[in-house]
Amino acid sequence: QVQLVESGGGKVQPGGSLRLSCAASGVPFSSTIMGWYRQETGKERELVATITPYGTTSYVDSVKGRFTVSRDNAKNTVYLQMNSLKPEDTAVYYCSPLNSFTPSGSRYWGLGTQVTVSS
C-alpha cells in the first residue's frame, strides 16, 4: 500500500523560507521519480518540481532559482526547499511518485501540507 506523508508547511512572510518533507512507503523509492505538486484553491494541481532516482531535477519556470528539490533514498524521503517565497506560492503542496499509479490508473496522493505566504 502506497502512503505519502507531507509535512513542513506553515505560514510565512513574503521573502521567507520553508522546507517541506514527504515520506513515502509502498513504492520502490530508490528507483522512483518523485514530484512535488501544488494546488491553489479553485485551481488545478500543478507540477512544480521533479527529481529522478539519480538526482536530476526539473522545475516549473515560476519557481526556478527559488525552490530546490532533493531526496534521501535511505530514508525514502523527498524534500522541497522553498526560498524567497511569494504570496502566489500559497497552496497545498503534495508529493507523488511519477512512475507509480493506482490499479485504476490514478496518481497516488497524500493529504498535502498547507503553505501560506502572507504578511
Side-chain angles (χ1 to χ4, degrees), residues 27-98:
V27 293
F29 188 83
S30 61
S31 61
T32 297
I33 304 170
M34 293 298 296
W36 278 101
Y37 291 76
R38 67 185 179 188
Q39 187 169 22
E40 298 175 59
T41 302
K43 296 188 178 181
E44 292 189 358
R45 203 164 294 189
E46 171 191 36
L47 178 63
V48 296
T50 66
I51 184 166
T52 70
Y54 304 104
T56 302
T57 59
S58 67
Y59 303 92
V60 68
D61 285 348
S62 59
V63 308
K64 282 181 180 177
R66 301 188 298 120
F67 289 11
T68 302
V69 59
S70 61
R71 64 192 295 158
D72 185 336
N73 288 338
K75 295 182 178 180
N76 285 11
T77 300
V78 61
Y79 305 97
L80 187 67
Q81 178 67 44
M82 306 187 297
N83 299 328
S84 302
L85 282 162
K86 304 176 180 181
E88 52 263 42
D89 295 317
T90 295
V92 180
Y93 284 72
Y94 304 86
C95 69
S96 184
L98 296 190

Side-chain angles (χ1 to χ4, degrees), residues 100-109:
S100 294
F101 299 92
T102 70
S104 62
S106 301
R107 293 205 177 277
Y108 289 104
W109 301 109

